[in-house]
Amino acid sequence: RGTPTTLVSPAVESFLAAAAIMSIVPAHIMRSVGGGYDNESIAMTSMTMTFYLWMRSLRGGKENTSGALVWGTLAGLAYFYMVAVWGGYIFVINIVGVHAGSLVLLGRYSSKLHRAYTAFYFIGTALAVQIPVVGWTPIRSLEQLGPMAVFVGFQMIEYCEVMRRKNNLSRKEAWVLRGKVFGAALLVAAVIVAALVPTGYFGPISARVRGLFVKHTKTGNPLVDSVAEHQPASAEAYLQYLHDICYIAPVGFAIVALVYFHDSSSFLLVYGVAAYFFSHKMVRLILLTAPIASALAGVALGRIFGWCLRGVTDYRPSFSDLLKLSSRASDDVPVVDAEPVDSSGKPKKAKKPKADKDKVKDGEEPSSFEEGRTFVVQLSRLVIAYMLFSSALPFASDFYARCHEMAKHMSHPTILYKASSHSGEEVIVDDYREAYWWLRDNTPEDARIMAWWDYGYQITGIGNRTTIADGNTWNHEHIALLGRALTSPEKEGHRIARHLADYVLLWTGGGGDDLAKSPHLARIANSVYRDMCPNDPTCRSFGFASQGVPTPKMAGSLLYKLHSHDLVPGVQADKNRFKEVFKSKYGKVRIFKVLSVSKESKEWVADPKNRICDAPGSWFCRGQYPPALKKVLDQKQDFGQLEDFNKKQVDDEYQKKYFEHLNDPDKAHKEGQKGGASSFVRPPKEQVDELQKRENWQDTPYTSELWNLIDANNIPMLKEYIIANPLVAHMRSADGRGPMFWAHEYGRDKIVKILRKVGVSEKHKDSEGLTPLDDTEIF
């Protein structure tokens, strides 16, 4: 009557349930029909395709080697697609490798498994090394050596199996052969590794991957630590992106593990454990849970629905019936449940049913008792099915509504959103797009825009202008140079910017704007330019002090001067270096034109002769920094990323201090105070005169902080503030009093001398007509 296990699939219900869930679950649509469009959007398709083809290659009995070879090859091609679109390919190759290795440890090795994995790994890796940014890392990176070890191990196991069958070896003789083969292989591998390690051939685990195994913000790489998506996932995050599937998927996990475990389905268990572990470490990776959560939930819901359907109608659908693959499959083959399998993958022999005393013989009429019992069973199943359906319907409706609500929110553009004004009126904030359109319509086509890397893609895609750094963070040193330009003192920042950019764009709308991010910018800059925050890799001296007042280093930075230009009393950008040319409607974006741009540097960079191509005539040609920046670049120390290949030294001292200061902020703050600048400069007279106008007298966090410093006689911190921004010494509160008044009032003679150095007058009068000398305690 045919082979039911090859023609009839009991998984139709599970397939439909899984597809329905994945089509709307937020964890998936946030990178597909909704949410942000990024490399992950394409990667999810290629990853799911790779996993499906890998599982498909393991279906059938042990002797299904030809099918395994074909499907394994297709899985390798899908893996190549994955490598081409997203760095998460490392997750894919390792999960498949772990699954294949696990099957061997469970005693389920077969020629089918060998053919499938060999085809997958060989084809996939051979194609992956063709990707320029990947190169030979699959056979050099510690992150990918595991799957390669599985590949080599499979070849040795298969050799032993061939020899065992050929020579008809006993069990003991087979194990002796395996010991010799693997022993020799380990010896050869040890010699090769010992020879290659000193050359720097192998690269350690990267900071991004290492971050999945350590506490967030402690990977040792400040660029990786600055990304908010690298924080651990919370229970609320799982509920937000998976909702009720969080509770249903574990049921499917148990069903697969306890009832339907075989070579192919066991992959769901490995994938499920790995996806949960990594997503728990990094909230961004909840994306990886969408396919496996949908599949396991589909198994649970599909099996339950199939049981109810068969109990009520005595019918269960099959792919053969639905697709009408053959009339015999649809007419003759009975619908059966998946058959249990033994450790070899073969169906277990079903026990012969015991003779049923009440079984109705052919030609006999069923008794009333038999009819009654059948009716009771069917009625019971019908009642159970009704109860399950009625209780599940509200949850299904709620899940559907939540998913669609999430889809609406995620589908909204991130640069265009609704907000409430101070008057309570609902407004559309379109500042970001307006800024990018302003660049497109009001700047030359060859204009270069300096902005933090987070929104580089937006500037390029919407503004159609070249950005100094886009969303790619592969080049740590380049991002560090950008961070140095923005977090350096205004004058030094301009010296860098004039050779790289024509405009500077800043996000200034509060919340997660550039000022809020700036401590991360300083850390990243300091990881390459160690003089940015001497003695403190975590740059505790660059940030906010009490009451939201910037520390001296932040107050004197280019970023702060441009961000707070004409918004904070006493803060103005140097009009000889920068000119504000655009400010968005709600103040979310500001654009400054860089004055005195070096035409020589701009022409040098634009000249194709000054680009370095990976091969003659290649499309892959990287630019170089103009010679005018050589003095700055000579000060850099390439960041010792652990993933850098051929690097004979790693900056262990920096890494050690970085971790120490993360764990001990007080120590970081104290050491960060050492070695600061010590020269005082008088600010421009016109800016001082502007601050002395009565309309500019006001109580601000800055005046409060200055009063606190003078009251506490904290001379070191006060000196830092004044050195970073001399104008703060000339600020005055609402009553007309300022630092000079308070210094005389509390008898701080040393502070009075400092204030005199930056030109603070002792003749100015407060709101009562008194001068600092009228209330002095200094004699």
Side-chain angles (χ1 to χ4, degrees):
R1 295 192 62 182
T3 312
T5 54
T6 59
L7 294 179
V8 180
S9 171
V12 177
E13 311 92 325
S14 298
F15 150 69
L16 293 175
I21 293 169
M22 192 161 175
S23 66
I24 62 173
V25 69
H28 176 60
I29 62 176
M30 69 176 175
R31 282 296 191 272
S32 57
V33 296
Y37 187 80
D38 207 338
N39 287 31
E40 290 94 329
S41 304
I42 306 172
M44 287 306 296
T45 300
S46 57
M47 183 183 76
T48 306
M49 184 190 306
T50 304
F51 289 161
Y52 164 73
L53 293 170
W54 167 247
M55 292 182 65
R56 183 65 182 82
S57 69
L58 298 180
R59 285 180 58 182
K62 277 189 173 184
E63 306 307 320
N64 184 28
T65 55
S66 58
L69 195 61
V70 172
W71 290 106
T73 299
L74 293 176
L77 293 173
Y79 170 68
F80 166 63
Y81 183 24
M82 177 71 186
V83 176
V85 298
W86 192 34
Y89 72 91
I90 295 174
F91 172 78
V92 174
I93 188 69
N94 277 280
I95 289 300
V96 174
V98 168
H99 177 236
S102 299
L103 291 176
V104 175
L105 295 178
L106 292 173
R108 303 183 69 94
Y109 178 82
S110 64
S111 295
K112 173 191 67 176
L113 177 61
H114 169 259
R115 302 290 192 279
Y117 188 77
T118 298
F120 163 76
Y121 184 85
F122 182 79
I123 298 296
T125 303
L127 293 174
V129 298
Q130 307 303 318
I131 306 297
V133 296
V134 175
W136 293 103
T137 56
I139 59 175
R140 300 175 63 183
S141 170
L142 289 183
E143 299 161 3
Q144 301 178 58
L145 291 183
M148 185 176 73
V150 173
F151 172 77
V152 174
F154 269 34
Q155 310 317 308
M156 292 188 292
I157 294 176
E158 184 65 13
Y159 168 77
C160 293
E161 287 300 297
V162 171
M163 296 304 295
R164 180 182 65 81
R165 292 192 293 266
K166 181 179 179 180
N167 299 316
N168 196 26
L169 300 179
S170 65
R171 182 182 181 86
K172 181 179 180 180
E173 291 172 333
W175 275 107
V176 170
L177 175 63
R178 291 167 188 156
K180 291 180 179 179
V181 170
F182 278 88
L186 289 175
L187 182 61
V188 173
V191 173
I192 295 175
V193 170
L196 292 178
V197 166
T199 68
Y201 176 84
F202 297 109
I205 297 175
S206 69
R208 286 175 174 80
V209 174
R210 192 170 64 256
L212 297 173
F213 298 93
V214 297
K215 188 176 179 180
H216 174 58
T217 73
K218 295 185 178 181
T219 68
N221 186 329
L223 179 54
V224 174
D225 295 343
S226 70
V227 181
E229 288 182 325
H230 289 174
Q231 62 185 331
S234 62
E236 291 75 16
Y238 285 105
L239 289 174
Q240 180 182 11
Y241 290 107
L242 293 174
H243 198 47
D244 291 336
I245 305 305
C246 290
Y247 306 107
I248 303 174
V251 177
F253 187 94
I255 291 175
V256 172
L258 301 176
V259 183
Y260 298 106
F261 184 91
H262 49 76
D263 290 355
S264 181
S265 66
S266 58
F267 177 77
L268 297 178
L269 306 182
V270 176
Y271 182 11
V273 172
Y276 174 74
F277 175 82
F278 291 121
S279 62
H280 181 68
K281 288 288 186 177
M282 188 183 296
V283 67
R284 177 186 183 185
L285 297 183
I286 286 183
L287 175 72
L288 299 177
T289 66
I292 185 59
S294 300
L296 292 175
V299 168
L301 295 176
R303 294 299 179 184
I304 294 173
F305 176 78
W307 180 85
C308 295
L309 181 65
R310 191 175 181 186
V312 174
T313 66
D314 201 26
Y315 168 75
R316 193 168 184 181
S318 69
F319 281 113
S320 298
D321 288 339
L322 295 177
L323 302 178
K324 296 182 178 179
L325 294 178
S326 67
S327 59
R328 185 177 182 184
S330 60
D331 297 334
D332 298 332
V333 179
V335 178
V336 297
D337 287 331
E339 298 183 50
V341 293
D342 58 20
S343 60
S344 64
K346 293 182 178 180
K348 291 182 179 178
K349 294 182 179 180
K351 295 181 179 179
K352 294 183 179 181
K354 295 181 179 179
D356 192 343
K357 296 180 180 179
D358 298 321
K359 184 175 180 180
V360 180
K361 297 180 180 180
D362 294 339
E364 292 185 5
E365 293 292 333
S367 66
S368 59
F369 174 78
E370 187 67 29
E371 289 181 343
R373 190 176 67 172
T374 303
F375 173 76
V376 171
V377 171
Q378 289 184 333
L379 180 61
S380 300
R381 288 199 176 192
L382 181 62
V383 171
I384 294 174
Y386 173 77
M387 293 176 63
L388 289 173
F389 180 79
S390 59
S391 60
L393 188 59
F395 290 99
S397 299
D398 181 58
F399 176 68
Y400 179 85
R402 291 288 187 91
C403 289
H404 278 266
E405 188 64 26
M406 282 287 292
K408 290 179 182 178
H409 287 297
M410 291 189 294
S411 297
H412 291 164
T414 56
I415 62 173
L416 180 68
Y417 60 92
K418 291 181 180 180
S420 297
S421 63
H422 293 294
S423 63
E425 178 187 3
E426 190 177 74
V427 297
I428 300 295
V429 179
D430 195 16
D431 286 29
Y432 304 107
R433 187 174 63 165
E434 287 179 359
Y436 303 145
W437 279 357
W438 186 91
L439 289 173
R440 179 194 64 188
D441 299 334
N442 297 277
T443 62
E445 290 187 3
D446 64 346
R448 302 159 300 169
I449 315 302
M450 176 178 284
W452 191 232
W453 66 269
D454 286 8
Y455 20 93
Y457 286 149
Q458 296 177 2
I459 295 172
T460 302
I462 303 175
N464 196 28
R465 291 295 178 268
T466 299
T467 180
I468 300 303
D470 56 19
N472 192 330
T473 57
W474 285 75
N475 193 331
H476 185 105
E477 284 69 26
H478 182 66
I479 300 295
L481 178 61
L482 174 59
R484 172 168 183 166
L486 292 172
T487 58
S488 291
E490 182 182 20
K491 185 176 181 180
E492 182 181 344
H494 177 263
R495 288 174 178 171
I496 298 173
R498 66 185 291 265
H499 294 290
L500 295 175
D502 302 292
Y503 296 87
V504 178
L505 181 146
L506 298 176
W507 279 20
T508 56
D513 67 4
D514 285 342
L515 196 61
K517 298 174 185 174
S518 61
H520 288 296
L521 275 64
R523 290 183 186 183
I524 295 168
N526 186 71
S527 67
V528 174
Y529 298 93
R530 303 296 168 81
D531 60 332
M532 293 294 295
C533 302
N535 305 310
D536 179 19
T538 58
C539 285
R540 300 284 180 179
S541 59
F542 192 103
F544 293 96
S546 60
Q547 303 183 47
V549 177
T551 59
K553 280 186 181 294
M554 176 185 278
S557 68
L558 168 62
L559 189 153
Y560 183 78
K561 290 290 184 68
L562 299 184
H563 179 282
S564 304
H565 173 71
D566 284 342
L567 295 179
V568 177
V571 180
Q572 288 185 324
D574 189 337
K575 64 181 181 181
N576 295 316
R577 291 185 170 88
F578 299 95
K579 177 184 178 182
E580 185 174 22
V581 293
F582 176 83
K583 183 179 180 180
S584 62
K585 183 178 180 179
Y586 297 104
K588 297 292 184 182
V589 184
R590 304 181 79 170
I591 301 176
F592 290 82
K593 181 178 176 61
V594 181
L595 304 180
S596 303
V597 171
S598 172
K599 294 182 179 180
E600 181 181 356
S601 292
K602 186 172 183 177
E603 292 173 355
W604 190 92
V605 170
D607 190 346
K609 296 179 180 179
N610 297 318
R611 297 173 186 167
I612 302 176
C613 300
D614 63 339
S618 171
W619 58 271
F620 186 70
C621 301
R622 61 182 180 87
Q624 298 187 81
Y625 294 112
L629 287 178
K630 184 178 184 302
K631 185 177 180 180
V632 174
L633 297 174
D634 286 344
Q635 300 172 18
K636 75 182 179 74
Q637 178 178 336
D638 287 350
F639 181 63
Q641 301 182 82
L642 296 182
E643 59 265 40
D644 287 344
F645 297 124
N646 300 320
K647 206 168 181 57
K648 298 183 179 180
Q649 292 183 346
V650 177
D651 199 345
D652 293 329
E653 185 61 32
Y654 172 87
Q655 296 286 338
K656 179 181 178 181
K657 185 170 287 189
Y658 180 81
F659 286 119
E660 285 180 355
H661 286 197
L662 279 175
N663 295 319
D664 190 351
D666 292 335
K667 179 180 180 180
H669 181 75
K670 291 178 181 179
E671 293 195 12
Q673 301 299 317
K674 302 175 183 178
S678 59
S679 59
F680 296 101
V681 179
R682 294 195 177 197
K685 184 177 182 303
E686 59 272 17
Q687 293 184 15
V688 173
D689 294 340
E690 184 68 23
L691 280 178
Q692 304 312 310
K693 293 180 180 179
R694 197 177 187 90
E695 60 266 26
N696 289 328
W697 295 359
Q698 54 184 301
D699 294 327
T700 67
Y702 296 93
T703 55
S704 298
E705 182 68 12
L706 290 170
W707 182 88
N708 287 327
L709 293 174
I710 294 172
D711 177 50
N713 200 26
N714 190 341
I715 295 177
M717 183 62 73
L718 181 66
K719 287 175 64 176
E720 282 196 50
Y721 270 103
I722 296 175
I723 291 171
N725 185 7
L727 275 176
V728 299
H730 297 266
M731 288 183 175
R732 303 175 74 176
S733 58
D735 60 3
R737 299 171 70 81
M740 186 63 83
F741 286 85
W742 302 322
H744 275 283
E745 179 182 355
Y746 294 109
R748 312 301 191 200
D749 57 329
K750 292 183 179 180
I751 294 179
V752 169
K753 293 179 181 178
I754 292 173
L755 295 173
R756 287 171 180 167
K757 289 182 179 180
V758 292
V760 181
S761 174
E762 295 172 277
K763 297 180 180 180
H764 288 310
K765 297 181 179 181
D766 61 14
S767 58
E768 297 180 357
L770 300 175
T771 68
L773 296 174
D774 293 331
D775 192 23
T776 185
E777 292 293 327
I778 300 175
F779 302 102

